[in-house]
Amino acid sequence: MTRLRGTILAAAVPLLLISACAQTAGNSAAASPDARDSSAAPYPQGLVLRVESFGGFVPPEHNLGRLPAVSIYADGRMISEGPTTAIYPGPALPNLLEQMLTPEMVQDLVKKGQEAGVRNGADFGSPNIADAPSTRVVAGDQSVSVVALSEAQASDPNLTTAQRTARNKLAAYVKTLESLSGAPGVAAPVAYVPDSVAALVRSYVDPQGEEPKSPEIAWPGPTLPGPEMNPGLGIGCVDVTGPATAKVLTSAKTATTSTPWTAGGAKWSITFRPLLPEEKSCAALKGVR
């Protein structure tokens, strides 16, 4: 979003931006804020707000399969990660929740994002810390990526006073977005049911010493392992779409992150990445840092 001058323009631009996104998508929101009517037209897919992490010292499949913490769309739909059970191995499917925000809330959050420093080219510095993830924040048509937003020390010598102040403001805004699920005026959450899923596939390696073993499950979807993702990772990706989506999701509900999936006489490990409204296939995950 271009730099705003004057209080009238500052108030008007978020509204115009959100209206433009909705018009571009060419669809209207579902009538009920609490549930999606499957017979209704698809939601508008203009992304307005997002918080996501990337990079850091994690396995490649974790980065490729990582979901944004919060995504908010032009129609007010919010998709976020809900709580998970602290057990190992964890469930195969992430706990994604869908809620609705009012247009006024979305407009206000876009405005507050700008006030918190979400502007293209903003300077947040580079702290003296290795292997930390970066946080990307989108607000309207502006975005920033900040290395070690929550990990950097307040006294980091590589950061100026202005950079520390900017980081604190942005971190507080991120916390606000990540806490919206229980905020007043936000509709009660329902499970997000994706239209398609990216299955990130790699050869199964028996986790030595793990007890109890996760039972095998026959893979009900398209042929594994699929085309390789980023070169050298040894990770394929399969687009699960159409009728296969329901079959795969049903099987995955009983699986864990350690489940061996059997197909073609081989065993596979699968990371399930539900695709968000603007994501259509595995191609959306290629090049993820």
Side-chain angles (χ1 to χ4, degrees):
M1 192 178 295
T2 54
R3 197 179 192 89
L4 305 184
R5 293 184 177 88
T7 56
I8 295 178
L9 183 58
V13 169
L15 177 59
L16 293 173
L17 173 66
I18 293 168
S19 297
C21 289
Q23 290 169 2
T24 299
N27 295 305
S28 60
S32 169
D34 293 313
R36 179 175 179 177
D37 178 0
S38 60
S39 65
Y43 285 101
Q45 295 178 1
L47 180 69
V48 178
L49 294 154
R50 172 165 286 169
V51 175
E52 61 183 338
S53 296
F54 63 91
F57 190 64
V58 295
E61 66 272 14
H62 180 80
N63 249 332
L64 288 169
R66 186 179 284 174
L67 282 152
V70 181
S71 299
I72 300 175
Y73 296 86
D75 64 346
R77 179 166 58 154
M78 178 174 72
I79 299 171
S80 62
E81 289 195 89
T84 56
T85 304
I87 58 173
Y88 180 84
L93 291 175
N95 181 25
L96 286 183
L97 303 178
E98 179 178 338
Q99 296 172 265
M100 291 297 293
L101 280 63
T102 65
E104 293 77 16
M105 290 183 70
V106 177
Q107 294 167 32
D108 184 58
L109 289 167
V110 172
K111 179 182 177 183
K112 287 180 177 177
Q114 181 189 14
E115 294 170 349
V118 184
R119 299 185 305 274
N120 294 342
D123 180 17
F124 294 91
S126 182
N128 184 29
I129 184 171
D131 298 326
S134 294
T135 300
R136 182 185 292 113
V137 185
V138 175
D141 62 354
Q142 301 290 294
S143 67
V144 294
S145 295
V146 185
V147 178
L149 179 62
S150 59
E151 294 84 1
Q153 299 296 316
S155 59
D156 193 299
N158 285 12
L159 300 176
T160 66
T161 299
Q163 289 167 347
R164 294 190 193 101
T165 300
R167 283 170 164 265
N168 289 338
K169 287 178 63 178
L170 185 66
Y173 177 67
V174 167
K175 186 175 181 180
T176 296
L177 292 181
E178 293 180 341
S179 303
L180 282 173
S181 182
V186 178
V190 296
Y192 171 67
V193 181
D195 294 328
S196 54
V197 175
L200 295 161
V201 186
R202 59 200 185 282
S203 295
Y204 179 79
V205 177
D206 187 16
Q208 299 297 321
E210 180 182 298
E211 295 292 344
K213 299 285 186 181
S214 296
E216 298 177 1
I217 299 179
W219 172 249
T223 304
L224 303 180
E228 187 177 13
M229 291 293 283
N230 298 351
L233 295 183
I235 299 173
C237 192
V238 171
D239 293 320
V240 182
T241 61
T245 303
K247 294 179 181 178
V248 167
L249 290 176
T250 298
S251 293
K253 285 178 181 178
T254 63
T256 73
T257 54
S258 294
T259 292
W261 293 85
T262 59
K267 294 182 183 180
W268 308 94
S269 292
I270 298 179
T271 297
F272 293 92
R273 172 55 160 81
L275 294 179
L276 299 175
E278 78 282 7
E279 299 171 335
K280 302 306 177 186
S281 68
C282 290
L285 308 184
K286 284 192 174 182
V288 174
R289 292 182 287 267

